[in-house]
Amino acid sequence: MTGAELERLKTSSRRIGSVTLGWHDCDFCGAFEGNGEYRYYLPDGEVYAAPMMILHYVEEHGYRPPRELRDGLETAGRPRWDWRAERLRGVLLDQSEDPDFRCQAAVDLVNWDDPRALDALRRAAHDEDLADSAGDAIGRSLAAFVDRGLARELLVEDLHVMVRHGIEEESGR
Ligand SMILES: [Zn+2]
C-alpha cells in the first residue's frame, strides 16, 4: 500500500462506526487497538466496513485492503445525497428505532456534505432521550459540519450536555 493510500485510509477512518460486542487481538503480534468498526461510504454507492484493527494490520503487517476500497477512497469528494443517506436520516429521526442504530446513523451521516444531514443532526440533538445515549456522537458530527464551514456557529448553550461534550471533544482535536 502506498503512503498516499495509507493517508487516505487514515483520514477516512477517524470515526468509529460502532463498538462491537466482541473484541479481538491481532493474530500476528497480540496487539489490541480497539473493538469498533470503521465504515467507508464510497461515492459509487458501496459501503465497506472494517474492524478498527485494519490500521494496525496495514501499518504493522503489510495488509492491503481490497482494490475497490483503495480506489474508492481515491475518488475525490464525498458521496452525493442518495438512498443510503436517506435511510440513515430516517433511522436517526425515528423514535421507534433501536438507539444504537440511531447513534450509528448520527456517526455515518457525517459522510454527506448536505444540509439534510445537518438538519437531521440538529433535530436529533434536541431529542432528549436520544441525546442521553447518543449525544456525544451527535455532537461530534455537528462539530464536523462546523469545521467544514457548513454550519454557522451552533447555539451550544441550547444543547443537551452530552451533545455539547461531543462538540467540545471533536473541536479540541
Ligand atoms: Zn499485530
Side-chain angles (χ1 to χ4, degrees):
M1 201 152 157
T2 67
E5 285 175 337
L6 175 60
E7 279 313 305
R8 279 192 295 273
L9 184 67
K10 281 184 170 177
T11 305
S12 306
S13 303
R14 221 158 59 83
R15 294 284 298 279
I16 310 302
S18 58
V19 175
T20 51
L21 294 176
W23 51 279
H24 183 68
D25 293 334
C26 175
D27 289 334
F28 302 103
C29 71
F32 173 66
E33 298 188 350
N35 64 346
E37 79 175 17
Y38 297 118
R39 285 191 289 277
Y40 310 97
Y41 288 81
L42 303 186
D44 67 3
E46 291 290 330
V47 184
Y48 285 84
M52 268 184 81
M53 292 295 287
I54 187 173
L55 294 178
H56 173 84
Y57 286 125
V58 167
E59 291 187 284
E60 302 298 328
H61 304 298
Y63 170 70
R64 290 186 92 197
R67 166 165 291 285
E68 293 76 17
L69 176 58
R70 285 183 282 127
D71 290 352
L73 293 176
E74 190 170 3
T75 310
R78 295 175 188 278
R80 290 171 186 279
W81 191 261
D82 58 14
W83 66 271
R84 297 173 300 177
E86 200 60 55
R87 177 158 189 285
L88 291 169
R89 181 172 69 157
V91 169
L92 178 61
L93 297 177
D94 182 350
Q95 296 187 326
S96 68
E97 270 288 355
D98 182 287
D100 286 343
F101 288 151
R102 299 180 74 192
C103 181
Q104 289 181 36
V107 172
D108 289 1
L109 268 175
V110 83
N111 288 289
W112 283 268
D113 283 344
D114 191 289
R116 286 166 283 192
L118 178 60
D119 175 65
L121 288 163
R122 281 184 193 277
R123 285 161 62 186
H126 290 285
D127 179 332
E128 289 288 322
D129 287 341
L130 182 62
D132 281 340
S133 60
D136 190 67
I138 294 167
R140 284 171 181 269
S141 289
L142 283 171
F145 278 89
V146 175
D147 275 357
R148 296 182 205 152
L150 297 170
R152 275 177 292 172
E153 203 59 37
L154 297 162
L155 294 170
V156 289
E157 63 273 17
D158 290 347
L159 298 170
H160 188 288
V161 61
M162 287 300 293
V163 176
R164 292 208 306 259
H165 180 256
I167 291 171
E168 283 159 18
E169 289 265 292
E170 187 70 15
S171 304
R173 291 165 73 116

